[in-house]
Amino acid sequence: MTFSAWIAAHYEEKGPVAWLAFFLELIAAVTLFLLMLLTCADVFGRYFLDNAVDGTTELTEMGIAILVFAEMPVITWRGGHVVVDILDKMLGSTLIKVLGLLAAFLMSTSLYFLAGRIYFLAERSARRGEVTEYLQMPVGYIIEYIAVMSWITAGAMITYGVYRLLFLSRD
Amino acid sequence: MITALIGFAILLMIIVVVRVPIAFAMGLVGFFGFAFTQGLGFDNFMDFRWTSALSMASKRVVDTAQEYSLSVIPLFILMGNLVTKSGLSHELYRASNAFLGHKKGGLSMATVVACGGFSAICGSSLATSATMAKVAMPPMRKYGYADSLATASIAAGGTLGILIPPSVILVIYGLLTETSIRELFAAGFIPGMIGILMYMAAVRYVVWRDPAAGPCGEKLGWPDRIKALNGVWGVLILFTVVMGGIYMGIFTPTEAAGIGAGGAFMIALSRRTLNWGSLFDILTDTARTSAMLFAVLIGALIFSNFINRAGLPADLLELVTGLDVAPMVVILVILLIYIVLGMVFESLSMLLLTVPIFFPLVQSMGFDLVWFGIVVVVVTEISLITPPVGMNVFVLAAVLRDVKASTIFKGVTPFWCADIVRLVLITLFSSISLFLPELLYR
């Protein structure tokens, strides 16, 4: 199977969006795998080689942020967040779509404004030159990343997420 | 108190009627509620200074996404997913079947035990029952077990997933209430074992009432039993290392989760069940679940900021003290609320909505938060098999397409009663859950 055939078979998204989803999930998957290796190496090193991996805590903290926010756009546009659906049978599919649009609007707007503030915090942290305690890495970058990914989530939800909701959902 | 209650009512309305995802609903209500406590009104909506509310929410996002102790969530889920994919569930079932299968209702009892064993690796109830359904259902069908008993033992056994450590729900409870995660893990162990025993008793009761529902399987000799045990050493070692390491204080829950995931990875490698594609699937699946949980957690934290700011916990305490009733009565009322909410809400949503409200009250009445966590998780377990919305039952009905949800609900009744008995025991005798944490850490 060629690579692009694998992507097409593996992702419900079409065209460039499938590639975007794959790219983001690849980042998340690699980060997760590295997190696992890092923790194992740290514990192994501490107990058997008397030498823990320096700055594990800081790297782990960054790792989770990268992992979670790389995946955030994908699960959001796929409607992967927990929804309470006990009234679904009474509401009817048209109304559910309308409510879905409303939810998409609320989610994108709130993320848009929130990301603005997060970006401000990132800039402030960069201006003050805040660095992590051990590895001396600038804190601002990772906060900036969270802000940018929130914007991407908001943008993808209001465009592709709405498109998927209107034209691609099964029912 | 009125502010907080109105906020809660609005929240319920937008998650149930408007179908906004619960993470965003809690975040939005928390955000606007917070702004309201700072003087937001309809007249000053346009020129309100949003900065402090926005900063509160942003801080929550940034801090939670980089919280070190939260890395247990992706790593424990990864461990569960790796073990699930490597087919260990088959061996677990074969081993418990070798010892129990020849008894009346033995295959169902074996199912319960195998579910318990699987819960020791996997922290999710839905995953446990979905996995065990594929493994345990065919043999029970072969021996002519009634569908109601067979499916009910899987649905009930599956609920143990969130109680027997490692458990994702316990981690989330620990983070919401700032309770020690390793104490919670230690506390969940004995109630989980009691759960297995009581479910087995429930199976005995069903076959005593109707012997045709669970006929005996074939009896195996000791050599065969030892051989069946051979298949489960991987799980046993993994559980011993991970939980033993946490219990003994050799490593923190986070490190244990990393080691567990690494160990599960080695097991999966040694069984040759991994290739690049399936590894990618397992990793992305884990990442998706984790991102979803993080979103919900961030929303819950923003919401609980507002609840505290609006003074609900203090007002509730004042109200309860004014009533002049025994503290245990308050706990019983809380449990009753949980059972009612459990009929309609899915487990995670129920926990996130209620714990921020109840835990300060429970704490200031002098109860132990570790104990309360176990009680809440057991109630949540019950909600997983309580009609009309019992998620475990629905998952089973989706996996086994030819069994109706109503059949499973009918079969699950004795198990549900066993659960209620267990809940009462755990509530009245706090030492059942606190024995291990006290022994190990206090």
Side-chain angles (χ1 to χ4, degrees):
Chain A
M1 198 179 352
T2 63
F3 190 57
S4 56
W6 181 83
I7 298 250
H10 224 70
Y11 281 90
E12 53 165 64
E13 288 84 5
K14 302 268 176 304
V17 187
W19 285 94
L20 178 65
F22 171 72
F23 174 68
L24 290 171
E25 295 214 306
L26 188 66
I27 296 177
V30 170
T31 314
L32 178 59
F33 196 74
L34 291 179
L35 261 184
M36 180 186 95
L37 291 183
L38 174 71
T39 321
C40 289
D42 182 47
V43 175
F44 187 81
R46 196 170 31 164
Y47 281 101
F48 297 100
L49 310 173
D50 256 347
N51 186 10
V53 180
D54 293 341
T56 307
T57 315
E58 289 166 12
L59 287 174
T60 307
E61 287 170 357
M62 274 182 256
I64 340 174
I66 295 173
L67 160 72
V68 168
F69 276 88
E71 196 66 66
M72 199 60 82
V74 183
I75 61 163
T76 309
W77 82 52
R78 279 189 186 166
H81 289 292
V82 188
V83 174
V84 176
D85 51 4
I86 42 178
L87 293 184
D88 277 15
K89 282 201 185 110
M90 286 153 64
L91 290 174
S93 62
T94 321
L95 187 54
I96 285 182
K97 273 192 181 167
V98 175
L99 292 175
L101 286 181
L102 180 63
F105 172 74
L106 283 176
M107 285 152 79
S108 319
T109 341
S110 55
L111 275 175
Y112 172 78
F113 285 111
L114 195 61
R117 187 67 197 169
I118 296 175
Y119 194 81
F120 171 81
L121 292 180
E123 280 190 321
R124 193 172 68 189
S125 155
R127 254 201 323 278
R128 292 177 181 168
E130 284 173 350
V131 288
T132 59
E133 218 154 279
Y134 200 90
L135 297 174
Q136 304 283 313
M137 302 231 247
V139 179
Y141 287 140
I142 201 79
I143 306 182
E144 212 163 60
Y145 166 83
I146 294 176
V148 171
M149 290 313 286
S150 306
W151 268 322
I152 294 180
T153 308
M157 186 65 209
I158 205 70
T159 51
Y160 185 78
V162 167
Y163 170 75
R164 181 187 169 279
L165 186 78
L166 290 181
F167 302 110
L168 298 182
S169 48
R170 273 148 285 153
D171 35 30
Chain B
M1 176 132 136
I2 298 295
T3 319
L5 287 182
I6 291 175
F8 193 69
I10 294 175
L11 174 62
L12 279 185
M13 210 200 67
I14 66 175
I15 60 174
V16 175
V17 181
V18 190
R19 274 180 114 257
V20 177
I22 184 160
F24 288 87
M26 284 196 290
L28 279 170
V29 172
F31 173 77
F32 282 106
F34 192 87
F36 178 79
T37 61
Q38 294 188 320
L40 172 72
F42 286 111
D43 45 337
N44 61 357
F45 193 84
M46 292 316 285
D47 45 32
F48 182 72
R49 265 178 57 84
W50 295 98
T51 319
S52 68
L54 266 177
S55 283
M56 180 276 286
S58 315
K59 281 248 165 54
R60 280 302 192 191
V61 175
V62 171
D63 293 347
T64 313
Q66 300 182 78
E67 166 80 42
Y68 175 72
S69 57
L70 277 178
S71 63
V72 293
I73 292 185
L75 290 172
F76 270 139
I77 297 177
L78 178 62
M79 166 167 124
N81 283 349
L82 280 166
V83 169
T84 311
K85 270 275 157 55
S86 65
L88 268 173
S89 43
H90 289 271
E91 266 98 27
L92 267 173
Y93 185 70
R94 199 179 313 142
S96 49
N97 203 8
F99 285 86
L100 293 163
H102 62 282
K103 294 189 170 35
K104 262 189 195 157
L107 273 73
S108 285
M109 289 198 268
T111 307
V112 170
V113 173
C115 280
F118 195 72
S119 312
I121 301 292
C122 178
S124 147
S125 286
L126 303 183
T128 305
S129 37
T131 313
M132 291 314 293
K134 287 178 211 144
V135 178
M137 205 55 197
M140 285 199 273
R141 283 240 163 98
K142 191 175 127 204
Y143 282 96
Y145 274 56
D147 274 353
S148 58
L149 174 63
T151 51
S153 57
I154 303 173
T159 63
L160 295 169
I162 55 169
L163 180 62
I164 297 181
S167 142
V168 174
I169 293 270
L170 278 179
V171 172
I172 290 179
Y173 174 87
L175 288 160
L176 282 176
T177 60
E178 294 177 359
T179 317
S180 148
I181 289 170
R182 52 178 206 171
E183 285 190 19
L184 285 168
F185 277 3
F189 189 75
I190 296 178
M193 293 300 127
I194 295 179
I196 295 180
L197 290 178
M198 295 196 72
Y199 286 153
M200 286 167 76
V203 174
R204 289 305 284 218
Y205 171 80
V206 173
V207 288
W208 173 68
R209 287 289 303 272
D210 177 14
C216 311
E218 55 193 293
K219 186 168 182 151
L220 292 179
W222 278 99
D224 284 330
R225 289 180 177 179
I226 303 292
K227 216 162 105 193
L229 268 188
N230 257 344
V232 296
W233 60 265
V235 185
L236 281 179
I237 292 180
L238 199 61
F239 179 74
T240 317
V241 169
V242 170
M243 293 325 294
I246 299 181
Y247 287 170
M248 297 299 157
I250 299 173
F251 27 71
T252 64
T254 307
E255 291 166 353
I259 297 284
F265 181 64
M266 298 310 283
I267 290 179
L269 271 188
S270 70
R271 290 165 165 265
R272 298 168 203 282
T273 45
L274 281 183
N275 54 38
W276 286 110
S278 66
L279 179 63
F280 184 74
D281 278 345
I282 292 172
L283 288 170
T284 49
D285 197 40
T286 310
R288 277 179 216 145
T289 315
S290 316
M292 186 270 285
L293 286 171
F294 268 80
V296 169
L297 196 59
I298 292 171
L301 287 168
I302 296 176
F303 180 67
S304 89
N305 253 15
F306 154 60
I307 290 283
N308 285 326
R309 177 98 185 182
L312 182 65
D315 291 345
L316 260 186
L317 182 65
E318 202 176 308
L319 180 82
V320 168
T321 352
L323 286 180
D324 198 27
V325 289
M328 200 37 105
V329 177
V330 180
I331 295 285
L332 291 180
V333 171
I334 291 179
L335 291 185
L336 210 63
I337 295 176
Y338 271 112
I339 291 178
V340 173
L341 283 179
M343 289 179 188
V344 275
F345 278 104
E346 169 270 335
S347 58
L348 185 67
S349 335
M350 179 171 92
L351 198 87
L352 290 166
L353 283 174
T354 52
V355 164
I357 299 175
F358 288 142
F359 95 85
L361 175 68
V362 171
Q363 190 175 28
S364 46
M365 286 191 310
F367 288 106
D368 192 305
L369 278 185
V370 172
W371 164 80
F372 185 64
I374 300 302
V375 171
V376 167
V377 168
V378 173
V379 164
T380 312
E381 282 188 286
I382 296 177
S383 84
L384 286 170
I385 50 172
T386 310
V389 183
M391 285 311 287
N392 257 19
V393 173
F394 288 164
V395 165
L396 268 190
V399 176
L400 312 163
R401 285 171 186 281
D402 51 338
V403 184
K404 276 200 215 124
S406 54
T407 315
I408 311 179
F409 275 129
K410 227 176 272 164
V412 108
T413 314
F415 296 89
W416 192 86
C417 296
D419 263 344
I420 295 285
V421 173
R422 177 163 58 119
L423 176 65
V424 170
L425 284 178
I426 291 171
T427 311
L428 294 183
F429 304 102
S430 61
S431 52
I432 295 177
S433 31
L434 293 180
F435 173 72
L436 267 186
E438 300 223 347
L439 183 75
L440 293 168
Y441 306 124
R442 292 181 180 180

